[in-house]
Amino acid sequence: MPNTVIEAKNLTKTYGKKSAAFTALKNINLKIYEGESVAIVGKSGSGKSTLMHLLALLDRPTKGEIYVDGKNASNLKNNDLNKLRNERFGFVFQQFFMNANNTVLENVLLPLKIAKISRKERKKQAEAALKIVDLESKMKNKAVDLSGGQKQRVCIARAVVNNPQIIFADEPTGNLDSATGDKITDLLFELNKKQGVTLIVVTHDEDLAKLCNRIVRISDGKIISDQTVRKDYQKQASRKRETEAARVRNANEKKGGKK
Amino acid sequence: MKLTDIIITANHNLFRSKTRTILTIIAIFIGSFTIILSNAINSGVNDFIDKQIESAGGDGYLEIMPTAVTENAVMALSGNGAVEYKETGNAPSEQPYITNEQIEKVRAIDGVESFDVLHTTTVDYITSNKIDKKYKLFNLNLVPRGNVNLDVTAGRKPDSESTNLEIALTEDLTKTLGFENAEAAIGETVTLAIPNTIDCYTAATHSECQRQVTATVVGVQAPGVMASGGPRANLALFEKVHELASDGMSQETKSQAYQATAQVDPARVDEIKAKLKDIGLTAMTIDDQVGMIRTFFDAILVVFNIFGGIALLAAAIGIINTLFMSVQERTREIGLEKALGMSSGKIFLSFSTEAILLGFWGSVLGIALSMLIGFGLNALAHATFLADLPTFNIVVFNPINMLIIALIIMLIAFIAGTAPAIRAAKKDPINSLRYE
Ligand SMILES: Nc1ncnc2c1ncn2[C@@H]1O[C@H](COP(=O)(O)OP(=O)(O)OP(=O)(O)O)[C@@H](O)[C@H]1O
Ligand SMILES: [Mg+2]
């Protein structure tokens, strides 16, 4: 059985107070295993992004707990939370969030800059990440000058630049035409298959969802179905675990040593 | 984020909205410039005064006048109304001149090393054997005795212990009297004409009652405050001039004097001044005399510093404003940085750094421009009214002062930046990312 990387227990999230209160998530229980690719599918407003933000420790649940590697995240100090997100998570947000006036390279290396990685090293890693998304040539361009698809690829590069264990992607193909969308999808699943990166993809696109080995459907803040379509990921995961995870951890230790 | 990265990023972020940032920096600059330049001018003036005092030496050198004279002068100046006259007999404090009794008392004070009474001297003209013309001499002063220096470009200070008649000319006078240069004048003689008071009552023409005295030039004074006192005589010459002028007068009238100088133990100046006061004499050190100029310039400095302070206060409000705008504009960016693991502390630090950098650039600009203007003013002064005083700068920059001013401005900027920086630090990543 593969390791559980993230576990949600009785997760409830209520926005607003009193009469304006709105419960976006109701009593969610979910376990995500290492190396999985999970699609979170549902109608607009069903609570997909909310769930992803909670799993990614960007927000705190109103009720319930989230365990990362078996540890209760609500017991973590802010600094440890920040470090966890910075070193082990990669994010692709629903709208591509970039600092428009910075260069593509600056945008991609932001997580490494926050991680206090040296100038030379972070440039090297950011260039490597841009190579993966095939945008090395745009390195020096301002982010604002890119096309929509290119922007999303920059966001993918930023999400993978820190060699994350888990990538959270909120509608990664939402704003893109199908050809560009496919390219993004390929990139993400390649990381999942070749490097054993756990993938959590929020989408309303059934085609994208079908590529994942597991589909979690939510409606009105509740999980209405949770099917594991394929189990082949387990083989990949265990195969990659020794090699890739060790490499990632080594890299993380190196980063830690620099502080 | 590393501190260097925070500083570089903050500076980059600042100049993203150039106009706003530059306007804020200009506001800070107005304050820093005013304060730095006015402090530099004040240092210049104080430096000048210090140099003069130092070049005059003058530790323990006192200029003495009867208290009655100084009080009358103060009374007349302040227009303090009528003072009732009281019969006080021959009380020393009422005397407008220094009495023999007072002289004896002063000489008896412990710590008084020398005491010279200055009789009033009138010299009609000065001339030399190099020229035919005669030149008016308005003022013949005594060379201070003791450790008071006389800055000379040639020769030496006239010796007040000597019985030779010695004089130190000024540079201007050296040329006027036909000497080639200062060196050439040393050892030459000059002739002074002194009107005898008694004779001149009856004489038909002034030249009939004039007596002449020949003095040896032993020094030429360097330009400076001391030289503005005109040529200076040693005690022997000074007494000779007085003798020629007062010849024929009664002994009592002869000895009347309105001024005196004393050389006293520098460590006991205050004590001796108090004792002199009891005797009815007011003494001033060189420091006392220039103290008034100092006070005047210090008052001007205070006014300028207040002005600069008000400018900085306005600039601080500008900093608060510009940073709040920038926090608002960069809400999403802050959300992204937080999502990617940047701590609230670092967010606070990066906005605070922007504030400090605003202060820094304002100070740098203030320092740069005030130095530019300061050096310009110095050059202008040396070309014009300070041509005679090449060593004096009216604007003197003190690096430590400038550093302190810059640090204070950066501190003010930091304090102004705290409110926006706290707001940025408190932003919630998810809500910030939602922000349109
Ligand atoms: N900060 C908030 N305050 C109040 N209500 C919120 C807030 N954030 C989300 N909601 C509400 O919670 C519900 C779930 O929102 P969420 O963004 O998770 O939806 P979603 O499933 O991601 O939808 P979409 O596919 O349109 O992105 C929505 O009804 C939304 O209005
Ligand atoms: Mg959403």
Side-chain angles (χ1 to χ4, degrees), chain A residues 15 22 24 43-50 94 171, chain B residues 431 434:
Chain A
Y15 289 114
F22 174 78
K43 282 193 307 223
S44 177
S46 55
K48 305 183 296 289
S49 296
T50 305
Q94 192 161 6
E171 305 279 9
Chain B
N431 285 334
R434 274 176 194 276

Side-chain angles (χ1 to χ4, degrees), chain B residues 20 59 65 72 100 138 153 172 176 235-236 240 245 254 270 275 313 325 330 337 341 343 361 373:
Chain B
R20 202 167 69 199
D59 275 352
M65 282 205 289
N72 288 349
N100 286 329
F138 298 100
T153 49
D172 284 348
T176 312
L235 196 59
K240 182 76 186 170
K254 247 187 193 176
D270 289 333
K275 282 186 181 159
L313 201 72
M325 280 166 83
R330 277 157 46 198
E337 283 171 344
S343 67
W361 290 121
I373 290 185

